[in-house]
Amino acid sequence: MAPRIGQSAPDFLAKDQHGENITLSQFRGKKVILYFYPKDSTPGCTAQACNLRDNYETLLEKGYVVLGISTDSEKRHQNFIAKNELPFSLISDPEHLVHDLYDTWQLKKFMGKEYMGTVRTTFVIDEEGTISDIIEKVKTKDHTAQIIA
């Protein structure tokens, strides 16, 4: 069942782009933007990441930590971060275990074909680990405005 606003955000253990363990609970006491996106270096995902990058200082001033997550490998994340000068960590979830916790791995349709994939979704989590907002209709080029609105 999908997490809802007002519920505790599911904790997880995964690897960041450097192969380091990362958990949601390590960010207790900070607000977290946990955004799920389909694939590194695609137009929409790049626009979303760059929008967050361009507004990163504002997000930091408001007390947010930004974490992106996709099923891409750690190496692919490293390349995406370097190419776009991203100042935040990306989580590698190739087995979509974290995606499953957040119900963002779903059946999708594209050009008449059905497949399983990431549904672009952002969870805003407060200092106590409670989900304060869920953004399902992400505007990739103006995502920060949706978060801090």
Side-chain angles (χ1 to χ4, degrees):
M1 190 157 86
R4 294 191 304 270
I5 293 173
Q7 292 182 328
S8 290
D11 198 9
F12 57 81
L13 171 64
K15 302 276 186 193
D16 70 7
Q17 69 273 9
H18 302 297
E20 301 289 326
N21 285 336
I22 192 165
T23 64
L24 181 61
S25 57
Q26 79 187 61
F27 298 102
R28 273 290 146 77
K30 297 180 180 180
K31 295 184 278 188
V32 177
I33 297 164
L34 181 65
Y35 80 97
F36 290 81
Y37 66 98
K39 193 163 185 59
D40 291 344
S41 300
T42 56
C45 297
T46 301
Q48 182 178 12
C50 290
N51 176 264
L52 293 167
R53 175 202 65 203
D54 294 346
N55 294 284
Y56 190 65
E57 289 303 317
T58 301
L59 293 168
L60 284 180
E61 288 168 9
K62 294 188 176 292
Y64 288 105
V65 171
V66 178
L67 299 172
I69 182 166
S70 79
T71 58
D72 287 311
S73 69
E74 295 159 24
K75 180 68 176 160
R76 192 165 169 96
H77 280 340
Q78 288 172 9
N79 294 339
F80 188 50
I81 287 169
K83 182 178 179 183
N84 295 288
E85 300 178 358
L86 303 179
F88 46 85
S89 291
L90 297 178
I91 298 168
S92 180
D93 188 30
E95 304 295 321
H96 52 82
L97 301 174
V98 182
H99 283 70
D100 289 342
L101 284 174
Y102 284 82
D103 197 34
T104 58
W105 187 255
Q106 297 178 16
L107 186 64
K108 298 172 76 173
K109 289 183 182 180
F110 183 69
M111 296 179 67
K113 297 191 180 202
E114 291 186 341
Y115 63 98
M116 294 300 290
T118 302
V119 176
R120 188 185 309 274
T121 309
T122 297
F123 294 85
V124 181
I125 302 161
D126 70 16
E127 297 89 342
E128 287 78 43
T130 302
I131 298 170
S132 59
D133 195 11
I134 301 172
I135 302 167
E136 295 175 323
K137 295 188 187 313
V138 173
K139 296 177 185 173
T140 58
K141 293 179 181 174
D142 198 24
H143 195 40
T144 302
Q146 291 180 287
I147 294 166
I148 60 177

